[in-house]
């Protein structure tokens, strides 16, 4: 990943490493975790997900080693940052399972996925890159999201409004690509909606 630090390339944590959960920490470690997460959100919002991890640690008032103890690699930090948005998407998917129009509910959920993926520049690309990689720390978020989207897709397919050959993995990749296109075209705020409309047309069973 562009912007990766020398610490990352030196092997601080494998791709399968996951962030330490804050509930198991001492009070001082929990404070460090919370500060790192807060500063990571700010840095990613300002500079994108390729922001310097050394800068994140400096802004949090800790050493880079402390950051890596909590987040063994960039994907682990991204996973923690995206976890709240992922929780929102999971809650929303459960609500939409009861919507009267299954296909419209699926597309509405995908639109919210685009919105969350666009919160940080580079996040959509990262989510695309781990879509089929279960070893990445980001899979902690992408796995449950795939299941949630799969349930909405299955309901729409059972209703006969979405083609049976549509797979949730392909649909999520397409959604991440739409989020990336919207990110790369900030002067066209309607782009994501137009692309999702085209997606809807392609999803419908003839």
């Amino acid at each position: 990943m562009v912007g990766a630090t020398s610490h990352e390339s030196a092997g601080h944590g494998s791709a399968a490493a996951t962030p330490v959960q804050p509930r198991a920490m001492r009070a001082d470690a929990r404070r460090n975790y919370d500060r790192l997460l807060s500063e990571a959100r700010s840095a990613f919002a300002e500079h994108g997900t390729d922001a310097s991890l050394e800068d994140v640690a400096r802004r949090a008032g800790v050493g880079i080693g402390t950051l890596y103890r909590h987040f063994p690699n960039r994907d682990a930090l991204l996973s923690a940052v995206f976890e709240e948005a992922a929780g929102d998407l999971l809650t929303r998917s459960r609500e939409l399972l009861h919507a009267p129009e299954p296909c419209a509910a699926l597309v509405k959920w995908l639109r919210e996925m685009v919105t969350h993926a666009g919160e940080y520049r580079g996040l959509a690309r990262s989510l695309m890159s781990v879509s089929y990689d279960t070893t990445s720390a980001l899979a902690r978020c992408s796995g449950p999201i795939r299941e949630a989207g799969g349930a909405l897709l299955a309901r729409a397919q059972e209703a006969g409004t979405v083609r049976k050959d549509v797979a949730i993995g392909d649909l999520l990749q397409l959604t991440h690509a739409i989020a990336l296109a919207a990110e790369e075209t900030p002067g066209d705020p309607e782009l994501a909606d137009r692309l999702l409309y085209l997606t809807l047309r392609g999803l419908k069973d003839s």
Side-chain angles (χ1 to χ4, degrees):
M1 183 177 292
V2 177
T5 67
S6 58
H7 290 83
E8 289 174 280
S9 60
H12 279 255
S14 67
T18 57
V20 176
Q21 293 303 298
R23 63 178 175 270
M25 299 177 193
R26 300 187 314 271
D28 58 339
R30 174 60 183 267
R31 286 193 295 271
N32 286 341
Y33 179 98
D34 289 343
R35 283 200 302 267
L36 284 164
L37 200 50
S38 176
E39 293 301 339
R41 290 190 182 105
S42 297
F44 292 162
E46 184 178 353
H47 302 293
T49 58
D50 285 338
S52 164
L53 298 191
E54 280 90 350
D55 184 53
V56 170
R58 180 186 58 77
R59 291 165 61 160
V62 301
I64 188 65
T66 298
L67 183 149
Y68 280 117
R69 279 195 294 275
H70 290 293
F71 307 102
N73 53 44
R74 187 177 295 269
D75 275 1
L77 183 55
L78 278 174
S79 177
V81 167
F82 188 58
E83 196 165 359
E84 183 177 353
D88 291 343
L89 286 166
L90 295 180
T91 298
R92 188 66 173 132
S93 71
R94 290 190 289 269
E95 295 170 353
L96 288 169
L97 279 173
H98 304 289
E101 298 182 18
C103 185
L106 173 63
V107 174
K108 184 177 293 186
W109 185 78
L110 293 175
R111 183 64 182 91
E112 295 184 19
M113 182 74 185
V114 169
T115 298
H116 283 298
E119 288 181 352
Y120 303 101
R121 190 175 70 255
L123 179 58
R125 189 183 302 277
S126 294
L127 290 171
M128 285 183 71
S129 70
V130 302
S131 184
Y132 295 99
D133 180 9
T134 59
T135 67
S136 168
L138 264 174
R140 291 182 59 243
C141 293
S142 62
I145 285 174
R146 179 188 294 264
E147 292 180 11
L152 289 170
L153 173 60
R155 183 169 177 257
Q157 289 172 325
E158 289 166 6
T161 54
V162 172
R163 290 163 31 199
K164 294 290 187 181
D165 61 344
V166 176
I168 187 58
D170 294 342
L171 192 52
L172 287 175
Q173 283 288 73
L174 179 59
T175 303
H176 297 325
I178 290 173
L180 183 59
E183 174 187 306
E184 297 291 334
T185 318
D188 186 356
E190 305 301 322
L191 177 62
D193 287 328
R194 293 201 308 275
L195 293 177
L196 280 169
Y197 173 72
L198 292 174
T199 300
L200 173 61
R201 293 185 63 182
L203 289 176
K204 287 190 173 181
D205 205 354
S206 56

